[in-house]
Structures are given as C-alpha cells and as structure tokens.
Amino acid sequence: MRLAVVVQRMVVAEVSGVLFTVDPVTQHRATMLIDAVRGLGEALVGGRITPDVFRVDRRRMWVLERATAVPADGTPEPILDDDRVLELARLGGAVEAHFGTPQDIEWAVADGLVHVLQSRPITSLYPIDALRSPDGSLHVHFSVGHQQSMTRAMTPLGRSTVLALVPGGDHDPTAEHAVLHVAGGRLFADVTQVLRHPVGRRALMGMLSQLDALAPDAVRVAMARPEFRHRPRPRLSFARVRGLLAVAGRVAATVGWRDLTGFRLAAEARMDAFEAEARGRIGSAPLGRERGEVSLEVARSVFPFLLTFVPLVAAGVIATRLLTRLAGRWLDADELEALTLAVPGNVVNEMNLAIDDLAEKARRSPELVARFDAVGEDARAWLAAAAGVDGGRAFLAAFAAFLERFGARGAAEIDLSMPRFRDEPMPVLKVIAASLRNEGPTYRERVAGYEAERAAAFERLVAAARRGFAGPLRVRALRRLYRTMVEVGGMREHHKFLAVRVLALIREGVVDLAERLVARGSLGTVDDVWYLTWPELSAAWGAAHDDLRARIASRRAAHARDQRLSPPLIVTSDGEIPSVRYRHEGAHDGALLGNPVSPGVIEGPAHVVTDPARDELAPGEVLVAEFTDPGWTPLFINASGLVLEVGGALTHGAVVAREYGIPAVVGVRGATAAIRTGQRVGVDGDRGIVEVLDGG
C-alpha cells in the first residue's frame, strides 16, 4: 500500500479561521459563512474563543452580515475588512469549483497573504438538485413526509407509486412532475404558485399552521427574500374558479342543510366496492408485465375517486371548528375539549377498538394470556402455537377478521415497500400483550366515557345558548353543526384508509411479480424490486440481469445514505432551511418547546420509539417519537402522553391524542435525541413544554 505525504510550509498566522462555501446553518447555497480569529485557529476549532462572523452573498459578492466578537477589554475591533472578506469568498468559490462540491476550508493570513491550510467537503447539507428553480425565481418547497407524518426516506418504487397516484406527473422518474419533486429520497411539494396568489396563500398558510405551527413562519422567511417577491402573481382561470366554487357549494350544503342520514355508511360501501373492483382487476391480470400495467392504472384511478369525498372531509373539519368557536362563548376549556372527543366513524379509532376487543377475547383464556407474556419476535410461530391452547382458535378467528379489515395498515404505509400488519402482525400482537398487563379501564370503556362527556358537554352548550331572544336560532345552528361533526367529522381518515388499502393490493401484486423475477434470475431477492421504478419493473422482463442488479445495488446504497438525512419541513430552491423556533413564556432553561395540541399535564416514564414493529408501550409510559402515522396508533392505547418531533394540530398523532384524552406536544425538534427511554418527563399539553425531570 502506498500513502501520500502532505508537505506544507509552516506559516505564522496573523489571522486564521474557517470558511464554509455554503452556510451550514441556513444551508442557503448562495451564502458563505466565514469565522475569523486573531492568531492561530486552534482556539477557534476547539471552541475556546468567540470568532468574528461574516456572511457573504456569493452571487452579488457583498457582505450581508458581520458580527464582531467583544474582547475582554470590551472594545470590539474588526479582524477583517470587507476587501479581505470578499477575497476569502472568491478563494472559497475557486476551491469549491475545483472539487465540485461545497467545502469547509481552514485558512490563515500570514505576511498579508491568504493561505489555504486544508479543505474538506461539507457533508451535512440536504441535497436540493431536484429542487432547483425552473424559472430563476425563488421557489418554496414543503415536505410531503411531514404532512403525512412520515419523514423516513422512501424507496424508488414507493416514490414512483406516489408520483403515479397524484395528478400532474408520471411514474417515470425522468419525467417532471408539476408539483412533486424528489430530494434526499423524500417528496417535496412546490407551493410557490399558490403562495404568490393572495387567496391561495391564505388557504395554504391555514393548512400549514395545522400541520406544523412553525411552518407559516418558515414560509414567511422565504417569502421575504427579494428573489421571491419580485414576480407577478398568477391568475386563476375561469374554469378553475368555477370548479372551486362548485366544491365550496358542496361543502356549504354538507355543513348547512344536506340530509346526512346514513351518509357515512353509504360512503364506506362505495369505498369497499372500489377496493373490491381494484382487487379483481389486479388479480385477474396475467402475472407479468400486464399485471404491473394494470396495477398502475388502478393507482391512477384512486385520486379522482377520492376527490368526490373532499367536500365531506372539509365539511367535517369546518363544522367542528365552527362549533368549538361558537361554543367558546358558553363553555370552559375542559368542556370545549370534551365537545369533540370520540367522534364516531374514525377508522383509526375503530381499529384500536378492535384491538381492545382482541385483548378482551384473549383475557378469557389464562393459557392464552400466559402465551402473550412471551410473544417473542416470530409472529407466525406464535400464532401457530396459539391455535393449540384453550381459547386459541376463537382468538385466531377474531384476529383473522381484524387483519381482513385493517391488515393493510402499517408503519410508513404510504411507501409501497413497507410491510403491512397482514405481512407482519407482530406490532398488533405486542399491543395486545401490553393491553393485557393493563389493570385499569379498557380502551372501549374509556371511549364510552369520552362519548358520554361529549354528549354532556353538548347538552350544557345547548342549555346555555338557549337563553335570550336569539336562543332558538343559536340552538338550531349548534345542533346542525354538531350533527355534521358527528355524521361526517370522523371521515377525515377515510380517504387515506382507502388509498392504503389499494396500495396494499398493489404491493401484493408487486411481490408476486418479484417472486417470478427472482425465479427467472432477473432479481437476486424479492426486496430488490423496491429499488426499481414502474417503467424499470416493466422492462425487467427483458433486462440484462447484471445491469439490473448493479442499478439496484447502487440504489440500495443511496437509500441507506438518504435514510440518515434529516429532511427539512420547508426548503427553498436556494437550499435555505428557514430558522424559526417556539417561544413560550415561563419555560425553564433546558425545557423542550413545541406546539401544544392536546391539553393536560402529565408526568411519566418516557419510551423513545423508533420502530413500532419492535417496540411496545407499557401502560402509563409517555410515547416519544420522531413522528407517528396510523400504523403507530395501537401504541396510543397504553400511552399517558405524547411527544413528537414532527406534526401540528391536525396531523395524525395530535388528532389521536385528543381523541384519547392524553396530553400531547408536537413539533419538538430533537426530542428523540434529548430524551432517553426510562427518564421521567413532564408533558404540558396546555403550554407546549416538555421537561426531563430525572436522569432515568
């Protein structure tokens, strides 16, 4: 082996420092960051001295910002003048151009000359190649993963499927989608045109505030940039305005006067029929290229079908908000919270009630309960063994019925590659095992209590609002809003539930195709299929094996790298990740701050969960996670509180926490790193404060 020896001339530094050709804090690709100190840079690198800091706009070559450190004698004196700062910036640009990637450069000034001591690539930047501006103006992108409460990287086939599901694009990764773009293995939506129109901006900001309380502030930071402002606003076409008015009319009718009797059951029947038709179309297609093409056709048909349910979902949300806003005049905070508890028809809540029923069925057999004390890690082996114990067959029949209804769900379920409960039922078995250790009320009993609280709160509201001359009119309006909330307010998850069920059907078909390709020698393993796109899967029936396997190996490595990245909520086409933070009065130093989305204050042992398929929550533990989606919901049955890094008032974790009556704080950046399993934590769901109370 040969080693290179670096020989450098020692220089006596008058001034030294570090130059980042891309600001590592904001990640703005057109901003350089320069730190400078007098003398050697050792104290700077070791963190023992505060440097002068300069930010440079590399496009216009001027100094944007300078912060001069205050020395011990209290008389600040700039270390570098603007000419020297710009000289360093030009040098940094040349070094970056040489290596072809942003650089972290150590430099020194000796005898009036700038010396480059070393340079290395900046590895912490989030990739934005696919997010570059198509027209030279600044574009703003929103993370779809945050909206879906899933920030993990998606596999290529998973992304390819979503791009086929959403109108405006194609399943071909070389084709440009009108809105969605892939960066770091995640999907980002370009919301620029919506933000440039005042009506669209108001609607989008309202939606973003419900998904993450900091998102609107981050968007405003981006919109304040000159590159964003100096553009004409788009105009809505007459056809689009007419379409929006039609939707608004249907929403108003649903909220105000439409007969909703049996409506949810009819909608569910339509969705079940759609799923059955999709199953038939995929299952009857010949196993091979044709089945893949039919699966894609089914995927493309989902979105237009779901659009017919948008007015219902919107009506439920609007009715709930109007009801609570009007009720705030007569009810206190606790009564207001009770008013929206346990709204019927929510498929996530129904799934957890079904799990609770499974636990109660298992509880009837002491032998089966003993089996649940040692669930292990092999779900299939455990289920096979359970068939031979007292009460086992009845439990397994109920379990099979559960999987028939909810088996399409799972963690990160919008990614086609992720296993479903039907594929890997261990997460459900572990929740049942934890529920069997619960000596308190069952989940069904708790939900019954919530329903009683809701009914009682509404009766108090009616009694209070009835007073006065306008009382009868107020009561009539409140009763209508309450009825709309009860009849359709629980349907906000129905559209995703159907999409997930169809995705599960497509997944089954893809696995069948992959098994055939493995038998032909085109794929090494079934899991290889997730690293192809739909056009490549179609072409795989005639592709050269070596080329396909080399491509898959490269994408596996890229996916592993992407998985280690932390995606931004908001990012611009210049790579800037706007820096915004929560501010809460009265929070102690060291407290973690977030968005309070479910009221109440709780203390309990923390349980940091990274994989819901492996972890189970003991009764009374505080669930701490990066995010949750419906596949995580069974864990909520035993949770006493919730802390999430991602989310807002309307994201999955927040909604479920409110329905379960547990305090929750979301949007707590860095929570899974700052909190360890076993530590006692306080969760203040009223103020949005999380505190670590002991060392665990």
Side-chain angles (χ1 to χ4, degrees):
M1 177 173 26
R2 294 182 178 181
L3 296 176
V5 178
V6 178
V7 179
Q8 286 185 284
R9 181 168 63 87
M10 180 70 72
V11 297
V12 180
E14 301 153 5
V15 177
S16 56
V18 179
L19 161 64
F20 296 92
T21 60
V22 170
D23 186 337
V25 178
T26 67
Q27 301 199 21
H28 195 291
R29 297 310 198 265
T31 303
M32 291 184 174
L33 179 68
I34 301 172
D35 288 351
V37 296
R38 299 188 187 280
L40 298 176
E42 181 181 1
L44 169 62
V45 176
R48 299 191 303 272
I49 189 171
T50 302
D52 283 11
V53 180
F54 305 87
R55 282 184 167 84
V56 178
D57 183 333
R58 62 187 301 167
R59 286 180 295 205
R60 300 173 180 82
M61 272 300 163
W62 67 45
V63 179
L64 291 170
E65 179 185 341
R66 58 177 62 80
T68 304
V70 180
D73 62 9
T75 306
E77 184 176 339
I79 296 174
L80 302 176
D81 60 23
D82 283 5
D83 289 341
R84 182 68 80 183
V85 169
L86 295 179
E87 179 187 358
L88 285 166
R90 285 188 288 269
L91 177 61
V95 174
E96 178 183 284
H98 173 77
F99 288 109
T101 186
Q103 296 290 301
D104 169 0
I105 303 167
E106 293 185 22
W107 55 270
V109 176
D111 299 325
L113 298 177
V114 176
H115 301 264
V116 174
L117 307 181
Q118 69 171 6
S119 184
R120 53 180 173 262
I122 303 175
T123 58
S124 60
L125 301 178
Y126 196 84
I128 62 162
D129 287 345
L131 307 181
R132 300 289 187 182
S133 171
D135 57 14
S137 69
L138 188 70
H139 280 238
V140 181
H141 300 267
F142 172 71
S143 167
V144 175
H146 283 74
Q147 188 270 335
Q148 289 291 326
S149 297
M150 188 205 78
T151 57
R152 71 187 308 278
M154 298 178 69
T155 56
L157 193 62
R159 300 193 304 263
S160 185
T161 304
V162 174
L163 292 174
L165 276 169
V166 180
D170 201 346
H171 54 272
D172 186 345
T174 62
E176 187 74 14
H177 195 284
V179 176
L180 298 181
H181 306 282
V182 179
R186 281 88 171 172
L187 292 172
F188 289 83
D190 187 342
V191 294
T192 307
Q193 295 306 313
V194 178
L195 289 172
R196 285 185 174 143
H197 194 283
V199 176
R201 179 167 61 249
R202 183 173 181 179
L204 182 63
M205 288 296 206
M207 183 197 75
L208 291 180
S209 69
Q210 298 301 311
L211 297 176
D212 190 293
L214 292 180
D217 289 341
V219 169
R220 290 185 188 98
V221 170
M223 291 176 62
R225 304 297 181 221
E227 296 82 6
F228 181 90
R229 292 199 309 267
H230 299 155
R231 290 284 163 172
R233 76 182 191 189
R235 295 182 178 180
L236 291 176
S237 66
F238 176 75
R240 181 162 295 184
V241 171
R242 185 173 59 184
L244 291 173
L245 290 176
V247 171
R250 292 184 60 194
V251 172
T254 305
V255 172
W257 60 85
R258 185 175 183 175
D259 183 6
L260 300 176
T261 304
F263 194 84
R264 185 175 70 248
L265 294 177
E268 290 172 350
R270 285 183 60 204
M271 291 182 174
D272 290 344
F274 184 92
E275 180 191 12
E277 181 186 358
R279 182 184 296 276
R281 290 176 62 189
I282 294 173
S284 62
L287 185 59
R289 191 191 309 265
E290 288 183 59
R291 180 167 293 189
E293 292 172 351
V294 170
S295 296
L296 266 181
E297 291 173 4
V298 168
R300 292 195 186 98
S301 69
V302 172
F303 193 88
F305 179 76
L306 291 180
L307 279 180
T308 63
F309 295 95
V310 169
L312 298 175
V313 177
V317 172
I318 291 171
T320 303
R321 289 188 186 177
L322 286 175
L323 180 64
T324 53
R325 181 173 296 180
L326 293 173
R329 178 178 173 184
W330 296 283
L331 300 183
D332 61 28
D334 291 339
E335 291 170 327
L336 273 178
E337 185 64 26
L339 190 61
T340 58
L341 287 176
V343 174
N346 187 300
V347 291
V348 173
N349 195 35
E350 290 175 352
M351 178 175 69
N352 284 337
L353 287 170
I355 292 176
D356 191 65
D357 291 343
L358 288 172
E360 289 307 296
K361 187 174 287 292
R363 204 184 298 274
R364 299 170 191 165
S365 168
E367 196 175 347
L368 194 56
V369 171
R371 287 274 180 182
F372 269 106
D373 286 337
V375 172
E377 297 297 331
D378 189 337
R380 302 298 175 187
W382 189 93
L383 291 168
V389 306
D390 179 48
R393 292 191 179 279
F395 172 81
L396 292 180
F399 193 75
F402 171 85
L403 292 181
E404 179 67 24
R405 176 60 174 160
F406 299 107
R409 307 233 75 152
E413 58 197 7
I414 65 169
D415 187 345
L416 201 67
S417 70
M418 296 300 290
R420 318 290 150 149
F421 292 155
R422 194 176 294 137
D423 307 314
E424 178 47 80
M426 182 55 73
V428 180
L429 293 177
K430 287 189 173 183
V431 172
I432 295 172
S435 296
L436 290 173
R437 295 193 292 271
N438 181 21
E439 298 178 356
T442 67
Y443 178 64
R444 186 170 287 279
E445 289 170 342
R446 285 155 51 195
V447 169
Y450 298 150
E451 290 173 341
E453 288 181 41
R454 169 166 52 79
F458 183 67
E459 289 307 314
R460 287 193 294 272
L461 172 62
V462 169
R466 183 176 285 121
R467 303 186 188 102
F469 176 77
L473 290 176
R474 285 197 296 262
V475 168
R476 183 176 179 180
L478 290 171
R479 287 193 184 281
R480 176 63 199 189
L481 291 173
Y482 183 77
R483 176 169 171 73
T484 303
M485 179 186 75
V486 169
E487 292 295 334
V488 300
M491 294 185 65
R492 62 178 171 271
E493 282 281 345
H494 276 57
H495 62 293
K496 183 176 181 181
F497 186 42
L498 176 61
V500 165
R501 287 151 62 189
V502 174
L503 285 175
L505 295 177
I506 295 173
R507 174 185 163 82
E508 292 173 8
V510 168
V511 170
D512 289 342
L513 294 176
E515 289 172 347
R516 180 68 62 89
L517 288 170
V518 169
R520 293 175 75 248
S522 299
L523 298 180
T525 67
V526 170
D527 282 349
D528 284 349
V529 75
W530 310 124
Y531 298 92
L532 300 176
T533 64
W534 280 102
E536 291 167 343
L537 179 57
S538 179
W541 300 96
H545 301 166
D546 291 342
D547 291 346
L548 207 56
R549 293 188 180 187
R551 190 181 310 163
I552 289 168
S554 174
R555 288 184 181 166
R556 276 187 181 274
H559 181 66
R561 290 193 301 270
D562 289 342
Q563 209 65 273
R564 294 191 290 269
L565 297 172
S566 180
L569 170 66
I570 301 293
V571 61
T572 72
S573 53
D574 281 345
E576 181 182 11
I577 301 173
S579 179
V580 290
R581 64 184 63 190
Y582 294 100
R583 293 177 177 84
H584 296 316
E585 296 294 332
H588 297 128
D589 290 342
L592 303 174
L593 305 182
N595 181 18
V597 293
S598 184
V601 179
I602 190 71
E603 291 184 9
H607 194 133
V608 180
V609 177
T610 57
D611 184 355
R614 297 180 180 274
D615 291 301
E616 59 180 282
L617 217 63
E621 288 186 317
V622 175
L623 172 58
V624 181
E626 184 180 354
F627 62 87
T628 64
D629 59 24
W632 291 62
T633 309
L635 292 176
F636 283 69
I637 292 176
N638 295 313
S640 64
L642 177 68
V643 178
L644 298 179
E645 293 186 355
V646 171
L650 283 187
T651 48
H652 169 264
V655 172
V656 175
R658 288 194 295 274
E659 290 179 346
Y660 287 18
I662 61 176
V665 182
V666 302
V668 185
R669 272 54 170 178
T672 57
I675 300 172
R676 299 192 307 275
T677 295
Q679 288 182 316
R680 192 164 188 82
V681 297
V683 180
D684 187 337
D686 297 321
R687 297 189 298 158
I689 299 174
V690 178
E691 294 184 277
V692 177
L693 303 176
D694 63 37

